[in-house]
Amino acid sequence: MIYSFYVFDRHCDCIYDRQFAGSGSINKNNDSNSSKLLFGMLYSLKNLCAKLVANNTLKSFSLGEFRLHFFESATNFKFVLVSDASVDNLQQVLYTLYGKYFVEHVALNPLSPVEFGSGYIRNSNFINGSDAYLKTVG
């Protein structure tokens, strides 16, 4: 089961937050401490992996009942899925979310901002497409 999906931009800001458990909110927790803590933890683990391992490939890790799956694009957009600990590997899912939904509906959209600043992804094609795709996965 997938609990939530986050997208962080190159400036470490949460530009998309989708909760599937509970209220099912979209972009309600972008500025919350939980998204900032999540990014800080990923940043620290990524740096630790870079120092310990020659091939820096932080892909997923477990924390008790949860597993976090991580993908970073060449343009420094970071995609995070939070799932049940029993879910094994969602790298292909993250790559599809990036390539098929983010690039097509956000990055290549001339109306989408280049720098989000304090804004969020509000593109309905991205939101509906990624939601439908994640429902087939989880």
Side-chain angles (χ1 to χ4, degrees), residues 5-6 8 22 34-35 53 66 68 71 73 83 96 104 108 112 120 124 128-129 133 135:
F5 171 47
Y6 295 89
F8 295 93
S34 61
S35 65
V53 182
F66 303 103
L68 277 73
F71 169 76
S73 71
S83 71
T96 301
E104 286 184 16
L108 295 178
S112 182
Y120 310 123
S124 61
N128 295 333
Y133 176 66
K135 286 179 184 174

Side-chain angles (χ1 to χ4, degrees), residues 2 57-62 67-71 81 83-95 133 137:
I2 296 174
T57 54
L58 175 64
K59 293 182 180 179
S60 72
F61 58 94
S62 291
R67 178 174 290 274
L68 277 73
H69 308 269
F70 178 72
F71 169 76
L81 282 172
S83 71
D84 190 56
S86 63
V87 177
D88 187 28
N89 186 358
L90 294 178
Q91 284 300 302
Q92 186 60 40
V93 172
L94 287 168
Y95 187 73
Y133 176 66
V137 172

Side-chain angles (χ1 to χ4, degrees), residues 13-33:
D13 295 322
C14 183
I15 58 172
Y16 185 73
D17 165 44
R18 176 69 161 114
Q19 303 296 318
F20 293 102
S23 64
S25 64
I26 298 175
N27 290 332
K28 300 287 185 210
N29 299 321
N30 295 55
D31 296 322
S32 73
N33 286 336

